[in-house]
Amino acid sequence: MIAAQLDVGGVTWQRESDVVIVGAGAAGLSAALRLIGAGRRVVLVTKGWLGDGSTAWAQGGLAAAIDPRDSATDHLSDTLQAGAGLCDEPTVAALASAAPAAIRRLIAVGARFDREPGGELALGLEGGHHARRIVHAGGDATGAELARVLAAAVRRAAERGQVELLEGAVAVDALTAVDRTVCGLRLIDAGGAVGELQAGAVVLATGGIGQAWPVTTNPTTATGDGLALALRAGAIMRDPEFVQFHPTALAPPPARRCLGDRVALVSEAVRGEGALLIDTHGRPVMTGVHPLGDLAPRDVVATAIQARMTSTGADHVLLDATHFSARTWLDHFPTILGLCTERGIDPRHEPIPVAPAEHYACGGVWADFDGVTSVPGLYAVGEVASTGVQGANRLASNSLTEALIAGERVGDLLARTPIRRLAATDRDRLPALGAQLRPEIVRVTGDGLGVLRSDRKLTEQLTALARLGASAVPGDRGARIDDGGTRAAVEATNLHTVSTLTATAARNRTESRGCHQRSDFPDPEPEWHRHQLLRLIDGEIQQLHVESAVAA
Ligand SMILES: Cc1cc2nc3c(=O)[nH]c(=O)nc-3n(C[C@H](O)[C@H](O)[C@H](O)COP(=O)(O)OP(=O)(O)OC[C@H]3O[C@@H](n4cnc5c(N)ncnc54)[C@H](O)[C@@H]3O)c2cc1C
């Protein structure tokens, strides 16, 4: 049973605004910037600080067809290829043609991207792209530069009174009117008080869901709050089963991991330099799997690693780069060497433990490229949304570009949309799950929703989640408020909801496509060449009619 709203205690303050943006990554910050000067009262809510989400960790860059030898048509074609038949072509075309101008706007607000000696932008090449089109900054620090420049611009606007910032605050639920239109937001502020912001529009820019998995590249903010909030508010979800894994995240022994950790990536470049994947018995992992061997595409490598982990019973495989010279480590991989050393691993003398890590949610809240969802008043942009750009598998470096452009587009839309004021109705609220359930929720998610899924594992996961969900104890909320744990309880509940939603969708989709791989249905099936829509009905996640991707 999933609640329509969460009971987080009595409301101690109420205010009005026109637009509330939840999230301060690329999507939320760019939305806020476009609303500045539009005469709207804007409140930007973030769990941590401006730029605290996945955006700041992005290493590759932003995809944009800038090179004169490249084109938006080629960018479109590479994206459709990666998306395995489930991209929305007009949306991808809009992204590809808007990307170069979006990069120019970033430069205009102060972004310092890497350049060639002649001064033109240095464009990188990444897997799946057939042209050099990755704009990057500081080598592998693109996200940090993007977050820096957007956050600085929003902070300047806040100092001028053009946007109000609520940092350290956690959005809990949408306020809804009698007709289910979203008319505001309930949140827990930085001081632990419950407040309500009445607003004409709520924009979700809450990023990913990685913290539901035991191993993820996502930061601690990525607990799927926006997805769960939208589901409770009645929004339609699309294709949440498509979760992209990075094949080689650093996997320190469990004793050195803690809940909420994000893992570091060991980039493909290490395999490009000749490092080999072996299992814990020393046998090669990729031999005979793919003609490109250890340099096969990400989903192929991730699936092969997962299969080997299952057959050996180990929670990792090994990346052997012990034959690299000291110079290679120092010149090419000083960061990875440092990350390993910090975790007590010396890759010059021992293989690096690696495992696939949850990396990116391709599905999410069903929205168009302007952020419009199935619920009036509720908008979704960036990783939390499913706009059709990412299809069944994300093309590298398209997500920052999408977050940036979709954020701008929702800002433009709300700048010209009349603001409606509606009164919120009280809905049935249920207590949040106890925060102590979080480790078990994460464990069962990792077991069921790994790289390689099956009906048996997903059914076991859903059974375990139902048992955990039934253990909510009405009335223990007070204790958690006193000890400051309401926020942790909300996150645990959202992780439970995200896990249930994703496993339900993954069990329904009886095929393998893109980044959804099933050991019991290893091939793509023609009848599944379509999207999957889900919604909360009477407390249960239910599949709606399927929308044909082919006919679109
Ligand atoms: C390690 C790593 C490397 C990556 N590399 C690349 C790359 O090179 N290129 C690329 O295109 N993509 C990359 N990605 C993916 C990309 O970074 C993300 O998809 C993108 O940054 C998402 O932006 P966003 O604005 O939607 O969300 P985020 O940047 O994640 O921001 C989410 C915001 O929502 C806030 N929030 C969440 N829940 C709540 C709540 N309940 N209340 C208030 N605030 C809330 C958070 O505090 C945060 O401010 C990478 C991701 C990771 C993790």
Side-chain angles (χ1 to χ4, degrees), residues 98-155:
I103 300 291
R104 284 195 290 276
R105 283 192 292 279
L106 279 175
I107 294 169
V109 290
R112 294 190 290 262
F113 292 120
D114 297 339
R115 293 185 177 268
E116 299 291 356
E120 64 278 19
L121 284 171
L123 299 171
L125 187 63
E126 279 189 345
H129 291 274
H130 288 89
R132 293 197 159 270
R133 64 169 75 99
I134 313 303
V135 178
H136 47 90
D140 60 3
T142 314
E145 175 63 1
L146 190 61
R148 180 192 71 79
V149 77
L150 293 175
V154 169
R155 213 170 274 289

Side-chain angles (χ1 to χ4, degrees), residues 349-395:
H349 304 294
E350 59 184 319
I352 308 168
V354 291
E358 194 282 352
H359 191 49
Y360 182 82
C362 298
V365 183
W366 187 25
D368 70 11
F369 206 21
D370 292 321
V372 176
T373 72
S374 58
V375 174
L378 186 68
Y379 300 80
V381 284
E383 191 170 336
V384 69
S386 166
T387 61
V389 167
Q390 315 297 349
N393 206 357
R394 175 185 73 120
L395 180 66

Side-chain angles (χ1 to χ4, degrees), residues 137-179:
D140 60 3
T142 314
E145 175 63 1
L146 190 61
R148 180 192 71 79
V149 77
L150 293 175
V154 169
R155 213 170 274 289
R156 283 195 297 274
E159 281 159 15
R160 291 193 298 265
Q162 292 170 307
V163 50
E164 183 188 345
L165 305 180
L166 280 183
E167 291 173 277
V170 179
V172 177
D173 269 313
L175 307 178
T176 52
V178 179
D179 65 355

Side-chain angles (χ1 to χ4, degrees), residues 419-479:
I419 297 294
R420 289 172 71 199
R421 301 244 160 253
L422 296 169
T425 345
D426 242 353
R427 305 245 171 243
D428 283 350
R429 296 186 210 166
L430 286 180
L433 300 183
Q436 76 281 0
L437 297 180
R438 181 167 168 169
E440 186 60 4
I441 294 166
V442 170
R443 191 188 67 73
V444 302
T445 308
D447 286 351
L449 281 165
V451 174
L452 209 51
R453 298 140 179 204
S454 67
D455 186 76
R456 182 182 59 80
K457 283 197 215 166
L458 292 163
T459 301
E460 280 170 12
Q461 178 189 349
L462 285 165
T463 307
L465 289 167
R467 182 175 39 77
L468 291 168
S471 68
V473 186
D476 68 345
R477 173 174 47 72

